[in-house]
Structures are given as C-alpha cells and as structure tokens.
Amino acid sequence: MNDRVREILSWYASENPGVRTNLARMLNHGRLGGTGKMVILPVDQGFEHGPARSFAPNPAGYDPRYHFQLAIEAGCNAYAAPLGFLEAGVSDYCGDVPLILKCNNHDLLNDERDPISAVTSGVSDALRLGCVAVGFTIYPGSAERTEMYQQLRELAEEAKAAGLAVVVWSYPRGSTLSKEGETAVDVVTYAAQIAAQLGADIIKVKLPSAKVELAEAQKVYQKYEIPISTLAERVHHVVQSSFDGRRIVIFSGGTYAADEKFFEEVRAIRDGGGFGSIIGRNSFQRKKPDALKFLDTIMGIYEGSIQ
Amino acid sequence: MNDRVREILSWYASENPGVRTNLARMLNHGRLGGTGKMVILPVDQGFEHGPARSFAPNPAGYDPRYHFQLAIEAGCNAYAAPLGFLEAGVSDYCGDVPLILKCNNHDLLNDERDPISAVTSGVSDALRLGCVAVGFTIYPGSAERTEMYQQLRELAEEAKAAGLAVVVWSYPRGSTLSKEGETAVDVVTYAAQIAAQLGADIIKVKLPSAKVELAEAQKVYQKYEIPISTLAERVHHVVQSSFDGRRIVIFSGGTYAADEKFFEEVRAIRDGGGFGSIIGRNSFQRKKPDALKFLDTIMGIYEGSIQ
Amino acid sequence: MNDRVREILSWYASENPGVRTNLARMLNHGRLGGTGKMVILPVDQGFEHGPARSFAPNPAGYDPRYHFQLAIEAGCNAYAAPLGFLEAGVSDYCGDVPLILKCNNHDLLNDERDPISAVTSGVSDALRLGCVAVGFTIYPGSAERTEMYQQLRELAEEAKAAGLAVVVWSYPRGSTLSKEGETAVDVVTYAAQIAAQLGADIIKVKLPSAKVELAEAQKVYQKYEIPISTLAERVHHVVQSSFDGRRIVIFSGGTYAADEKFFEEVRAIRDGGGFGSIIGRNSFQRKKPDALKFLDTIMGIYEGSIQ
Amino acid sequence: MNDRVREILSWYASENPGVRTNLARMLNHGRLGGTGKMVILPVDQGFEHGPARSFAPNPAGYDPRYHFQLAIEAGCNAYAAPLGFLEAGVSDYCGDVPLILKCNNHDLLNDERDPISAVTSGVSDALRLGCVAVGFTIYPGSAERTEMYQQLRELAEEAKAAGLAVVVWSYPRGSTLSKEGETAVDVVTYAAQIAAQLGADIIKVKLPSAKVELAEAQKVYQKYEIPISTLAERVHHVVQSSFDGRRIVIFSGGTYAADEKFFEEVRAIRDGGGFGSIIGRNSFQRKKPDALKFLDTIMGIYEGSIQ
Amino acid sequence: MNDRVREILSWYASENPGVRTNLARMLNHGRLGGTGKMVILPVDQGFEHGPARSFAPNPAGYDPRYHFQLAIEAGCNAYAAPLGFLEAGVSDYCGDVPLILKCNNHDLLNDERDPISAVTSGVSDALRLGCVAVGFTIYPGSAERTEMYQQLRELAEEAKAAGLAVVVWSYPRGSTLSKEGETAVDVVTYAAQIAAQLGADIIKVKLPSAKVELAEAQKVYQKYEIPISTLAERVHHVVQSSFDGRRIVIFSGGTYAADEKFFEEVRAIRDGGGFGSIIGRNSFQRKKPDALKFLDTIMGIYEGSIQ
C-alpha cells in the first residue's frame, strides 16, 4: 500500500486487520486506487424507488449483471446493492470489484413520515457473497431512529468481528424536519457525526445546503462565523464533523442535474477535502458509454488529471 | 491503595473484585488520585447536541484524539465518550487514562418530550477497547423510562460479571415534568436514589435547585424541615439520598457559567460531601491552556490546596 | 476476470460466491495473476522445524514482516503462515497480498511416527486477520488420520460458510509407510484424491517419485501401464487424480536442491499440467535479492516467458 | 505512555486496544514502569511443588496476602498466581498491582514423563477478579502437547476478545527429551517460537544452556556459526527466535543460586536484549526485607542504575 | 453474625454475597453455630462402599430420612449426601438443616488403582433441592486427576455464580502413591493446598500421619524442622497449608476407632486450629442414642465445654 492509504488506515487502528484489509481493498481498487479517493456505484433504487422509476431510463439496468459490468468498466472502487441484486450477479464477477451488501432497505409503497428500513440481509450473507463491507441506512430525525441505531450497532459489531467494513448512509428525515432541513448544513453534519459515533468506517451523506435548520445551532454558526457559504466550505465542515477528517466521508450526488453542475459539485468535494462520491442514478440511468464517459470525468477530477 | 480509597471500596463489597479494581483504577488515577474525589471528562455532546454546537467554540475538539490528550494532561480520573470517539482515539493512548464507554446516546434531530436513548454499544465493546466502566443514561420522568431501566439492568448485569463498573447518568426529563422541575431538589434526589437502586456504582446527576416539584414531597420537606436552602445543603441531601453516602455521586456543571460561579458550585459540592464533577462543555469548549488552568483550579478546590 | 480464471472458477460452481471470490483473489494476484498458475510462499517452518533450522540461513526471516515483504516483492499469489506470524505482521501489509492462515501445526520436539498436528487457529481468526483461505495439513497413513480428517471437515464446513477457501497440505506419513513410500506415486496420488474428496479447494502435495508403494496398487499400475517414468507424467497423474484436473493442485519443492534441478522440476510441473508451486525454504532461506531472482525465474517458467 | 512503551505496543497492532491497554498496564507499572523491562512475581509453586517445599523457607508465604504485598512493595510489574491464591487475596489489593491468572496447573503427586496441566480457571474468572492477563503453561516435547496447544488456542481466543493479554510459560518436557535437553539452546528457542506462533503476547522461557539437543539443529548451529557460547548470546538468540524481538520474552531464574550468580544472569538477560525476569522462589522464599533488597538490585540492573 | 463468623467470612471477600450467605448458614447452624467450628454429617458410603457395609451395623440407616433426623437432632452444621439420598428425604425436612449435595461418586465394583468419580449431579439439582453447597471429591495422585480438577473447576464456577458454596473432599490416591503415602503429612497438606488453589470454600482432608512420602519434600521438612510429631502439630500444618488458615479445613475421622481415641483426635484438631470434623460411619453406624451422645461429646470438645 502507498503512503496515503497507509495514512488513512492508521485512523482505523482500533479495527482488526480484517476490517483494515477490506478498507484497503476498496481504497486500492479501480482507477482511483491508491489516491485515497473513492467513487462507489450504489444500485438500491429498484427497492427504494421501484423498478420503472429506476431502470426505465436505461433498461439495461433491469439486469443485475449490468451494474457489475458498469462498476468494473468504469473502475469504481466498489459496488453496493441489496441482497437480490448481488446474489443474481456475483457469480459472473467473483473478485472483479469490491462489493458492499446493503443490509437494510426501504420502499415507497408506504411512505411514512418517520421511516425505518427493513433489515433485509446480514453478515452471513455478506461473507458467503464475498463482500468487503456491509451497508446500512439510518434516518436521523425519524421517530424510529432509536431502533435503527440499535440495529446498526448489532450489525456493525458482528460485521467487524468478521473483518467486514461498515458503510453507513446517514440521511436525516422525519416528521420534525422540513424537506429543506434534510440537507441543511447543521443537519447533515450532525448526521455525519452520529454515523461516526455509531462506529461507521465509511460515512455517506448528501451534499449540504447553506441553510441552518435548528435554532440552537444557528446561534453557534453565527457566533463562531463558521464558513458555509460555498459548497467546498460546507464539504470541509462535514469532513471536520466526521472526526476531523479521520473517517472516510463520501457524498451522494442527489437528484439528476446537468453534468457540468455535477462536475462542479465533485470539484467542491475535492476542494473541501471530501473522500469521494457515491453515484447511482446519475450513472446507471444513462447508456453505458455515456455513463463511462461521465464517470471518467469525475474520476479525473478526483485524480487531479482534470480540473 | 490508601485508607480513603479502601473505605470507599468497602461500600462495594458485594461487587466482584474486578468491579472494585476498576473503581480503584479511577479513584487512584490522575491528580486527584487517592483523594476519594473525581473529575471526569465526558464528551458525548457531538452525538447529543451535534458537532458544531459542541466543537465550534474550540475546533480542536472535532478530533477524537484531542479529548484523550485533554483528559490526560489535566489529570482527570477518567474520560467518557460514545463508541466512535473511543474507537477513533484509543489506539494512541492505550492505558493512559481510564475510559468509560457511554453505551447509549440521544440526539436532538427529533427531540421528543419523553425521550429514550438508543443503545449504541455494550460490554464486548468496552472490553475490547480496554475500558474500566460502561456508562448509561436514564431519563426518570420519561414515559419511556421503564424500557430504559430494563436496558440498564441488562447492561449492568453483563458489565459487572465482566468486572466493569457501571456509571449512570440520571437526568429527570419527560412530559410530566416542568423544565424547572428537572433540577428540583426532590426530583434530583429521587433520580439519584433510582440510579442507586438500579445498581449504579457511580451516579451522575445535575446540581439541584431549591425548588421542590412534587406536591407530596413538598409536605415532607416542610414537615421535617429538610435543609435545602444552600447548594451545599442540597448536595448533602443528594449524597444522603444515594445510600447515605455509600455510593459515589458526582455532579455535572450544566450550562456555561462564569468561572467564578462554577468554582462556587465546586466548593458547594466539596462542602456538601459530593465526590466530584463531570465537566464536559466547560472544559473542552475552551482552548486547551485555558481548559487546563480551569480544571487545575477545580482539582485544587477538591484537593483542598485552593479554598 | 479473464477466460482462464473463469474456467477454473467454473469447477467450483458448488462453492458459494465468497469462496470463489477468494479463489479469484489468489488467482488474480501477483505476477502470475490471470495465468491460472500460482506460486505461494509458505512459512510455517518456524513451528514445524524450529527457528534456527528455519531462519539461520537468512536471519532476516526471524522477523515476521520479512515474509510479507518477500511475498509482495516477488509477486506471489499468496502467503501462508501460522497464527503468530500473521498476527505479528499483517497490520503493516493489510490487503497487500492474499493470506492463508495455516490452522494446524506440528513440531519436532516430540516426533511421533504417527503424527497429528495441533489445531492452532480457526475461521474467526482468519476473518479478523483478513485472510482469503484457511490451510490445514493432513497426514494420510498416520494412525491419527481419522481425527485429522474430521477436524478438516469441521474447519472446511465453517470456513466455506464464511466465504473462505480451503487449502489442504496432504502429506502421507505414518508407521505403516516407508520413508520412500511417503513420496511414492501411488501414495501421493492417493493423498491428493483424499484431499479432494474431503472438499479441498486447493491441494498441496509433494512431487512424487516413480516408486509404487502398495502391492495392490502395483498390480494396477503394471496392468494398465500407467505412465509414471518421467516427472511430468507423474505430475499429470496427480492432476488426473485430483478430479481430472478440476481441482487446483500445487507442489512443494521439498528440501534444498541446486537451482537448476529445481527449475527442472518446475518445468515438469508446468508440462504435466500442474497449477504451480508452494516454495518455502528454497525462497526465504536465501538473501532477498537471490530469492527474488530465484522466484522470478520460476514465475517466468510458469508464465512461459522462460523455457 | 512514553516512546519505548509506544514502540513495544506497535508490535501488537493486530491486537485490539483492550489487549494493548492491559499490556501497557504491566509495562507502565512499578519501579520498571516505562523502561520496557519487566519483573514479574509468580507464585504457583504451592500447586506445582506442594506447600511445604514452597513456603517452609519463609512461612509468611503460606498466606495468600503476603505475595500481593511483596509484589506491591517490590514494585513488580505484575503478580501471577492460580485461582485460589488470587481469590483469597485480591479483595485487599484491588488495583494495586496488575494480576495474571495462571489458568492451568500441574502437581507432582503423579509426576508423568509426558505431563499435561489441568485447566483450573478461565477468562470469566480473570475478568471477575480484575486481571490484566491470563497465563498458561505448555510443555513442548510432551506426548500431550497437542491437547495443550489446543487448550491454549481456545483460551487465547476468548481472552483476547475480552481484552486480556496472554502470557505463555513454554517449558520443554517429555519422554523424548533428556533432562539437559529441556534447557538446551535449540530446544528453548524452539519453545519460544512455538509460543509466539500460538499467539502469546508475553513469552516465558528458562535460561538456555549452550547444549544443542537435536541432531538436525546441531548441523545448522555449526554451519551458520550461531553464537551461543555466552549467556547473553543465548538470550539474544531466544529474543531473535521470538519474532526478532517483536514479542516480549522474559526469563525464569530457575533453581536457587547464589545471589551474585543470579545477578550475573540478569545482566546477561539485559545485555542479550531480554525483556526481564519472572522470579518466584528466589524472591518469596526469603524474608521480605531480603527479598525486597534482592529485587531492588535486579530492577536496578535492568534499569541501568546498577551495573 | 458474631465477630468470629464475620472474621471467617472476611476471608471470602472475593466470593459473591450468595456464597457468603450460604457459608454463614452452615457456620451459624446447629449446636456449634457461631463458634466458627463445624461438625458435618456425610452419608455417601452407600454409594462408595455398598449398602450392607454401610448400613447393616445400624439398619435404620437404610432409610434416607434417618440421616436427616440424625443430623438435625445432633445439631450438625450440615448434612452431605449424593443425589438420591437427598431427593428421597429432603421434602420432610425442608430448611431444617443445611444440605450439601455430593456431586460426584465412586463405587467399589470396579476399584481402579487410579480412580475417578462419576459426576452424578450438579448445580441445578442443588438449587432445586435447596442446598447450601455442592460437594466434590478429587483424588490427587490419580492418573485421572487432571480430568477431575477440570470437572471441579466447571462445577465450582457454576455453583458460585449461583451463590452456592463449594466443599472439596481432597483424598490423595493413585498408582504412584503407597497406601501409607495417602495420609503422609506432606501428601495431605499438598492435597489441601490443591483444593484451596482450585477455589474450594471448605476443604475436607484426612488426618495426616507423621510419615513424609516424597523425597524432595523430606529434605524440606528436615531442613526447616517443620514440627509434625504430634497430631495437633500436623493439623496446624494442614491449616497453614490451606492459605494460612484463611480457608475452612475440616477433617474426616477415617476408619472406625475406639471412641476415646476419636475424641483425642478431635482435641488435636481443636488444638491445631482445625475447623471441625466430618463424621460419617462413626456416627450413623451406631444406634441413634449412642450416635447423639458420641456427637454431643465431640461438639462439647470443639465448644470448649468438654476438655
């Protein structure tokens, strides 16, 4: 491993060597291998949003093998999906890309204001499928969050004992939060902090807006003049809120945007010290050549070969 | 161990030697080692209040290693934090300060009137991280308290069998209590008694006000003329309510106050027979030199070298 | 993965994707990655023969980190060692080379004629250390073999459920076998068959001599004129005896030989359809530059770049 | 922790922080705290040799509390004893000296040529008694060694998961070894290597003689001219055989000798790079003032204050 | 409890209060209640020697209720018997006398030279029958002792966790011991030490003779002139060997003797600092009035009312 990967792994000295090995497998894989940056392909939208909303824009994506191929050809660091998608495709791609088993899932056929995902798979599945990590979503702000935190704690304890890394999607949501509040900078940084305190090895959050949601927090942002006006500043603030940069934090691209706007966001993640992107719909909902070109640009930005 | 520590341990003769050893490790560590007094650094505010509200006043605190260093340099008896903060820092400070794993946590993204914390870690974590104790918060007064008491009971049983001490944060809160009632002297002493009855080895409560919240209690306070007019008297009453002083009770400093007012409170704790303080925001939200000077004064008061 | 690796994995279609992933990790790693050939570095001689006999020829090998470095620099497909050697080195090389945990070991301080190795580690160790496989030695011919076969069966069942591959060292030995019989061609092929029947994913045997040990076997070798006069023919016969080549069989080089003689053996393995070599003392008992050159030649022969 | 302790702990980076914390507790305790050297008081002779042979020379030692007091007053790094001795004394000395629970024991009322110790306590005992480590004896060379290695492996796995360090007494003995062979340099180094490979955190062996027992080993010692003529050279060779000095190796003083001869041995341990001594009979069989003076000299030699 | 009982319980400060409570029940029961002395009635001879040898001298003893009545009427501190005898009698005497369930037993239908008893009952039986303790026999010196020590360790751990005291019958026996050696003073004291180290709360041994069996021990007895010429001196030496008197040691009367000789032995136990007697055949093989008179004298001697 090179010096940057060694430095990142040093932050995880309390994890056993198995967890560190699986973190290294992701950090060393693909086009960004060794840079300390990551681009992960997640495809849980079939479960989360339904198949047509997810795959109609590029029907090749109905086939579970498509996403393996896309992640491999694009040189992603890892591919994350629910049980079924991994089971249906992995045998053709054993060892070709690090896999993250998304262990809980939520659907929209009953869209509660205080959601909780169902636990749909676990550590024994991850091991028998050859995964490097388990993934888990928490919804800080939901009235059900206590249950989710406890589920995560149990999953993480078992996963780490088996040498698997733990990736946490931390998405604020719930009846007490406004829609804009879900991506308010104080709320997103809080969500990152909670994931880190729960033992996440890799944290995934949404890119934060400049809005501050909570009144008590607002006072602090003003008093200490925390810089949050640019996206790069806000990314920096998220990284800082994730144990001062000693946990890997990656960002989701959110809703579909014009490519150039997306690239701007990637530059902000890079400039703010973020560790990378997790890009689902923006990649698998295009035809593969377009997706490869799109991801190639993003990786180029992270790598530094593209400004 | 000296006579005072031996006396304190004699109150815990029903605990196994492992629990007593870990109590001794805290009582004998740091500047107050051997005095029977304790100053503990707790840093769970990242989870409880969010990162910016916790660490913006002194951004060094975003780094999990900072708090280990602060606790060590100040000579605190122990450092208490949630799973993530301990995991991310302990490897650099193995054995340098007794650690308390805070096993449940609550966040403010959904601030219920009847809160319950999520169980976020447990005994196996405490053992693999080299901790001397587990910490747990109960909210007497919450409609969810029954569940919390039962969680505590299970945790404490497992922890003590493994030789770990049990530290209970007992904070009255809930829809039936007024905001002032949370620190009313009858309510705080009641909370201390509940923690003691649940098997707490160390009890942490807030400093009580002279208010008496419950009508039935008020009659008794008046009839027997229980002295509660000075803070030292109220501290004495809390200590009395914690098995007549045969359980270690420490006090939290609460919200930010002028230093001299804080020192006055410490003197009252000392004069009332309290065992010490657990000081979070008042210490880690200052620059380190200031924090060390602040804690130095407090320890001096407990030690008797400062009046 | 390329076509050859895909073909090899097709023989293991009954294993779960985790086992196949870990086989792929070995097959795709290092200089021979993707060729279907393997060179593995095993260092269990410290336990098996004692430290001075193992490491005095090249004292750098007393340090557990040395062997990781050697395996990595030489581009070996994997490194195999007992618990202590892996524990003491892995943290510096997480993810840099596939690891095989040798789960049983035998020492010579009491050298029984019917040996059985002690089970010294297991699946939970392999997982927490980030290994791709467990390794296990059986001694067909020993009066204790039944116990060993049953230990292997239990280990293999647990390992495969956790996605780990199973590597079996099958070394005939025991009071009923002559010293020459241990490497007789009928005995070595029998040992390979037993390992395969016990569920080994990768089989390691010694290179067989032209001797036929068992009288009943001799009749058959003569009647059917099984070609065993050249080493390549005997290697072919071992491969055939390992499910007609549908299990990976690799060969140990045995005691120290002149390099050219060793290369001749490697050519015979290649020409007979063997899958590679597992080379311990011949590599780690030389100074590193010599070892790298030696292994470079061997890999060149397997690769086809050297004749 | 200081730099030397930090360096030693870095060798144990695969252990969890709990194990490293307990190693630090021993390394930082007592007069040699922080030097990287250790003197441990072991008192299992009551079980191993009988009470009169053990305690008649200094009858104060019949009392289990005596040995706690001796270890504390002398400033030993740790005190090791079987279950009964720890249970009967620990309550008076909670936290005053790191404790090692000796988990197997052997008596001489039936002195087999191929001994195996009885497992007399375990991890749950060690935790409830507040110990920092478990201790276990293996007899390499005994026909029963396989069973002992497997018992150790199970104990070590459970102990390390609970954050306890593992101390292994590795004493070659058995029907195939001559009496002199038990301390032959090739045999002692082999025993140290086996303990290290089995996962020992701290290894205890006897001081080796210049004799080489095994014929195969003899060839190597002669060919490579391994220096073993002085005791310091042999100590160096033991340390080298314990993962090139990356595991803590301490030495037992063996049978009663003139003090000056004993001090000579300690100087040889120091000069050969050994980590310290474990001294039972030579300390607890004298009157306490003599024992304290004796241990004071030994610690002075290790410390460097005495030549 | 009175001062003497309090002093005795202070030696058991590492046991949980349940164990101490059950010790107190025995120490405070019957005629000797509160004196710190004990007379226990054991009736396992039906199993150990066969019914006729046991009960023909006083056929009332065939009835399991007889022994309860005898123990109650005589004012014994406890009654000890195997599963069947307790099950068949306890319902008529619930709470009338502390019960010890003898959990292993040996019969003479196959009298091996290296005996091991069968485990015939356990902690769940003891609890459902309302016992205060479990009893267990070990045969130090037997080739099977390792297995027995390990059985005892498991039983004791489970019993103490359930608050039951542990009584160990430690009877040297085995192919390497002469018949006289079984009661040699060095062997009996060794057996007492082993029981104490294994965690026995109460130790039962035979009265030792002045013979010294083991050559190595003989040297020590001579060199240090350990006084063993009188029975009281030997009792004192046994008590000393049982953690310097900090474990309760009681003595069996052995084979049938003239009453006066028996009383002499009791005086020696008293004068040597022993804690009492466990008297089976000498009591239940007489008619009840005789037995009560006999036990009355013995208790009088312990009490001091009879010289």
Side-chain angles (χ1 to χ4, degrees), chain B residues 232-244:
Chain B
E233 286 171 340
R234 296 192 295 270
V235 165
H236 171 78
H237 187 42
V238 173
V239 171
Q240 187 183 42
S241 299
S242 303
F243 294 178
D244 212 17

Side-chain angles (χ1 to χ4, degrees), chain C:
Chain C
M1 73 189 96
N2 68 16
D3 288 348
R4 178 57 180 157
V5 172
R6 189 176 305 279
E7 181 189 16
I8 292 172
L9 291 188
S10 76
W11 308 333
Y12 296 87
S14 296
E15 304 287 20
N16 63 37
V19 171
R20 280 178 272 156
T21 294
N22 278 320
L23 286 171
R25 281 181 175 139
M26 285 185 274
L27 287 164
N28 287 327
H29 188 85
R31 177 165 162 200
L32 292 176
T35 64
K37 300 293 183 187
M38 296 180 117
V39 170
I40 294 176
L41 175 68
V43 190
D44 56 357
Q45 286 80 0
F47 201 123
E48 306 277 329
H49 300 164
R53 277 181 63 189
S54 302
F55 306 125
N58 176 28
Y62 283 108
D63 187 331
R65 294 173 301 177
Y66 177 78
H67 307 288
F68 283 86
Q69 290 166 336
L70 177 58
I72 292 164
E73 290 180 38
C76 291
N77 297 70
Y79 166 51
L83 183 70
F85 249 25
L86 291 194
E87 279 186 338
V90 61
S91 290
D92 288 330
Y93 305 98
C94 288
D96 288 347
V97 60
L99 299 176
I100 301 167
L101 177 62
K102 188 73 183 355
C103 291
N104 65 348
N105 289 100
H106 181 256
D107 68 271
L108 295 182
L109 289 178
N110 186 328
D111 194 14
E112 320 89 337
R113 295 196 56 202
D114 287 292
I116 180 169
S117 295
V119 179
T120 55
S121 58
V123 170
S124 60
D125 298 304
L127 291 174
R128 74 177 166 84
L129 294 173
C131 299
V132 299
V134 291
F136 198 87
T137 297
I138 54 174
Y139 297 125
S142 169
E144 302 285 341
R145 71 193 185 287
T146 302
E147 175 68 11
M148 283 181 278
Y149 295 170
Q150 292 175 180
Q151 289 171 342
L152 170 55
R153 172 258 167 141
E154 284 180 27
L155 177 73
E157 184 176 12
E158 188 185 354
K160 291 181 178 184
L164 297 170
V166 175
V167 183
V168 176
W169 278 241
S170 192
Y171 285 178
R173 197 179 297 177
S175 54
T176 61
L177 285 177
S178 67
K179 188 71 194 165
E180 296 72 32
E182 293 178 359
T183 53
V185 68
D186 60 326
V187 171
V188 169
T189 52
Y190 200 161
Q193 169 78 201
I194 286 171
Q197 294 287 9
L198 286 167
D201 294 313
I202 299 178
I203 299 160
K204 180 198 169 191
V205 291
K206 293 187 178 170
L207 280 169
S209 70
K211 176 183 165 71
V212 176
E213 169 87 349
L214 303 168
E216 288 298 312
Q218 182 65 297
K219 294 178 198 165
V220 172
Y221 278 84
Q222 288 175 343
K223 177 171 179 187
Y224 295 101
E225 298 179 344
I226 301 172
I228 54 171
S229 57
T230 71
L231 185 54
E233 285 171 339
R234 296 192 296 271
V235 165
H236 171 77
H237 187 41
V238 172
V239 171
Q240 188 183 41
S241 299
S242 303
F243 296 177
D244 212 18
R246 294 175 69 83
R247 283 294 173 267
I248 298 167
V249 197
I250 57 178
F251 296 85
S252 58
T255 53
Y256 204 88
D259 284 5
E260 190 45 44
K261 182 164 178 319
F262 199 98
F263 299 149
E264 277 308 306
E265 290 182 357
V266 170
R267 286 184 196 101
I269 296 169
R270 180 196 63 195
D271 296 342
F275 292 76
S277 294
I278 183 157
I279 306 171
R281 282 167 289 170
N282 269 306
S283 49
F284 71 75
Q285 291 188 339
R286 321 174 176 238
K287 301 296 168 206
K288 207 205 274 180
D290 282 359
L292 293 175
K293 185 153 176 294
F294 176 73
L295 289 167
D296 186 65
T297 303
I298 289 164
M299 293 184 192
I301 294 171
Y302 278 125
E303 201 183 50
S305 63
I306 296 176
Q307 277 314 303

Side-chain angles (χ1 to χ4, degrees), chain A:
Chain A
M1 73 188 96
N2 68 17
D3 286 350
R4 177 58 180 157
V5 172
R6 189 177 305 277
E7 182 188 17
I8 293 173
L9 291 188
S10 76
W11 307 334
Y12 297 88
S14 297
E15 305 286 17
N16 63 37
V19 171
R20 284 179 266 159
T21 294
N22 278 321
L23 286 172
R25 282 181 174 137
M26 286 185 273
L27 287 165
N28 286 327
H29 189 85
R31 178 166 162 198
L32 292 176
T35 63
K37 300 293 182 185
M38 296 179 117
V39 170
I40 294 176
L41 175 68
V43 190
D44 56 356
Q45 287 79 358
F47 200 122
E48 305 277 330
H49 299 164
R53 274 181 64 189
S54 302
F55 306 125
N58 176 27
Y62 283 108
D63 185 334
R65 294 173 302 176
Y66 176 78
H67 307 287
F68 283 86
Q69 289 166 335
L70 177 58
I72 291 164
E73 289 180 38
C76 290
N77 296 70
Y79 166 51
L83 183 71
F85 249 23
L86 290 193
E87 280 187 342
V90 62
S91 289
D92 289 331
Y93 306 98
C94 288
D96 288 347
V97 61
L99 300 176
I100 301 166
L101 178 61
K102 189 71 183 356
C103 291
N104 66 347
N105 290 100
H106 181 255
D107 67 270
L108 295 182
L109 292 177
N110 185 330
D111 194 15
E112 320 89 335
R113 293 196 58 200
D114 287 291
I116 180 169
S117 296
V119 178
T120 55
S121 58
V123 169
S124 60
D125 298 305
L127 291 174
R128 74 177 166 83
L129 295 172
C131 298
V132 299
V134 292
F136 197 87
T137 297
I138 55 174
Y139 296 126
S142 169
E144 302 287 339
R145 73 196 185 287
T146 301
E147 175 68 11
M148 283 181 278
Y149 296 170
Q150 293 179 177
Q151 290 170 341
L152 170 55
R153 174 253 167 148
E154 285 180 25
L155 178 73
E157 185 176 12
E158 188 185 353
K160 291 180 177 186
L164 296 170
V166 175
V167 184
V168 175
W169 278 241
S170 192
Y171 286 177
R173 200 178 295 176
S175 54
T176 62
L177 285 177
S178 68
K179 189 68 193 168
E180 296 72 33
E182 293 178 359
T183 52
V185 69
D186 60 327
V187 171
V188 169
T189 52
Y190 201 161
Q193 168 80 201
I194 287 171
Q197 294 286 13
L198 287 168
D201 294 310
I202 299 178
I203 299 160
K204 181 198 168 191
V205 292
K206 293 187 179 170
L207 280 169
S209 71
K211 175 183 166 69
V212 176
E213 170 85 351
L214 304 168
E216 287 297 311
Q218 183 63 297
K219 295 178 200 165
V220 171
Y221 278 85
Q222 288 176 343
K223 177 171 179 188
Y224 295 100
E225 298 178 347
I226 301 172
I228 52 171
S229 57
T230 72
L231 185 53
E233 286 171 339
R234 296 192 295 270
V235 165
H236 170 78
H237 186 42
V238 172
V239 170
Q240 187 184 42
S241 298
S242 303
F243 295 177
D244 212 17
R246 296 174 69 84
R247 284 294 175 266
I248 299 168
V249 198
I250 57 178
F251 296 85
S252 57
T255 52
Y256 203 88
D259 284 5
E260 190 44 43
K261 181 163 181 321
F262 199 98
F263 299 149
E264 278 307 306
E265 290 182 355
V266 170
R267 285 184 198 100
I269 295 169
R270 180 196 63 195
D271 297 342
F275 293 75
S277 293
I278 183 158
I279 306 170
R281 283 166 288 170
N282 269 306
S283 50
F284 72 74
Q285 290 187 340
R286 332 178 169 230
K287 301 299 168 200
K288 206 205 277 180
D290 280 0
L292 292 174
K293 185 153 177 295
F294 175 74
L295 289 167
D296 184 66
T297 302
I298 289 165
M299 293 184 192
I301 293 170
Y302 279 125
E303 203 183 47
S305 62
I306 297 176
Q307 278 315 305

Side-chain angles (χ1 to χ4, degrees), chain C residues 43 46-53 55-57 59-60 62-65 82-88 90-92 106-112 116-125 128-129 151, chain D residues 11 13-15 114 140-147 149-150 153 157 160 172 175-177 186-187 189-191 193-194 196-199 214 216-217 220-221 224 226 237 240-244 246-247:
Chain C
V43 190
F47 201 123
E48 306 277 329
H49 300 164
R53 277 181 63 189
F55 306 125
Y62 283 108
D63 187 331
R65 294 173 301 177
L83 183 70
F85 249 25
L86 291 194
E87 279 186 338
V90 61
S91 290
D92 288 330
H106 181 256
D107 68 271
L108 295 182
L109 289 178
N110 186 328
D111 194 14
E112 320 89 337
I116 180 169
S117 295
V119 179
T120 55
S121 58
V123 170
S124 60
D125 298 304
R128 74 177 166 84
L129 294 173
Q151 289 171 342
Chain D
W11 308 333
S14 297
E15 306 287 16
D114 287 291
S142 169
E144 302 287 340
R145 73 195 186 287
T146 301
E147 175 68 11
Y149 296 169
Q150 293 178 176
R153 174 253 167 147
E157 184 176 12
K160 291 181 177 185
S175 54
T176 62
L177 286 177
D186 61 326
V187 171
T189 52
Y190 201 160
Q193 168 80 200
I194 286 171
Q197 294 287 11
L198 288 168
L214 304 168
E216 287 297 312
V220 171
Y221 279 84
Y224 295 101
I226 302 173
H237 186 41
Q240 187 184 42
S241 297
S242 303
F243 295 178
D244 212 18
R246 296 174 69 83
R247 285 293 174 267

